[in-house]
Amino acid sequence: MHGFSYKNGSLFCEDVDLSTLAAEHGTPLYVYSAGTILDHYTRLDAALGEIDHEVAYAVKANSNLSVLRRLAQHGAGFDIVSGGELFRVIKAGGDPAHCTFAGVGKTRDEIIYALEQGIYSFNVESAEELAYLNEVAGELGRIAPAAVRVNPNVDAKTHKYISTGKSENKFGVDFGAIAGLYERASKEFKNVKLRGLQMHIGSQLTSIAPFIEAVEKVIPLVTALKEKHGIEFWSIGGGIGIIYKEALESGDPAWWENQPEETRPLTIERYGKELVPRLRNLGLKILLEPGRYIVGNAGVLITKCLYEKKGAAKTFKIVDAGMNDLIRPALYEGHHEIVPLTAPATTEQVTVDVVGPICESGDFFCQDRPLPDFQPGDHIALMSAGAYGFAMASNYNSRPLPAEILVEGATATVIRKRQTLDDLIAGEI
Ligand SMILES: *Cc1c(COP(=O)(O)O)cnc(C)c1O
């Protein structure tokens, strides 16, 4: 569910008319619903309510300070993948003691920064990294809290670029090598305290089965690690998928009710109901690292149609947002619903490609998709753009980064100014 719907023929975010925002702030423009973000966070927190747990929001999905600040104020922890993300969390008022640090390539500077800030755990992705963490912590005279990421070799059944829990992926340590690594660490790595185990099998998982498979596979391992090495937490990762197709419709609770049982998308309540009983009696603190689920459906990218180009084989609607603003379609065939800000007067549709201005054939938001026949000057919203949208935006083609707006009820706040041409060259000589 989310805060975007038509009211009297205009697309709103909560109580704010998106056409008004587009007129006032220009396009391309990211708009987020704070109510949706906090609703998702609160519902996930509640779904795990029965067990000792912490929701560590995966900062990389959307790292705007104002988003992080709202989540910190509501008690979220944070899963970070760089020193830069730790810096953001601290600036936003988050507590490093509730931060876990993931990623296969942590640098010396990042390790030192995170040690000095007192993070909760380094989630280590190889034996080599654990040895290096031990070395750096030793130099600083500190004990580094750590967990190893287990690769459970489970198929997440998601796009190959966002699948992370198979043996052929670069992530984590092979399931069969974990017990030996904890054994070795307890003897050799005196400056590391292994306090947990971590896993994350992939992103945009839309069924519960891979989560159950991974949890059931790892339970005996995590139980043995608790007995032998006294670990206190198990992070079961993020990866909970969201609705991309029918994104607008899925804002309505009735839409969820009407989905047939067999094909009903994964809800957070189902996630809790299936996993909590399996996790309840382990005596471990359970960490979650959701990113997309918290912010994905809470944001849209608004763009203006510039031209309609009728080619020999296709009709192109050329818009003022490009793959530099939202790269998901080009990077992993991501689907974004496209809806006009003004509700179409007829149900008639035309089959078009919606493309950006960038000099790349991969610069499209959809291909051969039937859409309402919006015209140059009209605004459209690319739905479900709150996660891995702005966070992945770049200045490619020397295009300034778009502005970001956070809506709370009837209030809209610019939480990141649109870049200027001077911003583009700042730092260059
Ligand atoms: C990216 C990532 C997440 C978040 O994934 P989502 O699919 O956005 O929930 C969680 N944990 C780790 C280790 C990640 O790399």
Side-chain angles (χ1 to χ4, degrees), residues 56-61 79-81 102-103 123 125 149 162 164 171 198-200 202-205 235 237-241 288-294 387-388:
Y57 167 65
V59 173
K60 72 175 188 281
D79 188 58
I80 57 170
V81 292
N123 292 344
E125 305 233 12
R149 176 172 180 170
I162 49 175
T164 56
F171 299 101
Q198 195 266 351
M199 68 183 195
H200 172 68
S203 197
Q204 184 53 16
L205 276 69
S235 173
I240 304 158
L288 302 180
E289 304 163 0
R292 191 188 309 272
Y293 165 74
I294 303 283
Y388 307 108

Side-chain angles (χ1 to χ4, degrees), residues 32-50:
Y32 310 120
S33 157
T36 305
I37 294 172
L38 295 175
D39 173 63
H40 289 170
Y41 169 76
T42 309
R43 276 172 51 212
L44 183 54
D45 200 37
L48 277 283
E50 265 181 60

Side-chain angles (χ1 to χ4, degrees), residues 28-30 301 325 390 393 400-404 416-419:
L29 183 69
Y30 275 98
L301 174 60
D325 302 304
F390 186 92
L401 292 172
E404 292 176 285
R416 194 184 209 280
K417 287 186 206 156
R418 183 177 303 285
Q419 274 189 330

Side-chain angles (χ1 to χ4, degrees), residues 31 50 70 75 82 91 121 139 159 169 172 233 236 325 396:
V31 181
E50 265 181 60
R70 301 294 184 289
S82 70
K91 287 285 176 197
S121 178
E139 284 173 32
H159 191 275
N169 298 128
F233 82 88
I236 60 171
D325 302 304
Y396 186 43

Side-chain angles (χ1 to χ4, degrees), residues 104 125-126 149-175 199-203 205:
V104 298
E125 305 233 12
S126 64
R149 176 172 180 170
V150 56
N151 185 327
N153 195 22
V154 165
D155 187 352
K157 301 199 167 52
T158 184
H159 191 275
K160 60 181 187 297
Y161 286 5
I162 49 175
S163 175
T164 56
K166 290 281 284 170
S167 298
E168 59 263 34
N169 298 128
K170 71 177 174 185
F171 299 101
V173 171
D174 282 339
F175 183 85
M199 68 183 195
H200 172 68
I201 58 173
S203 197
L205 276 69

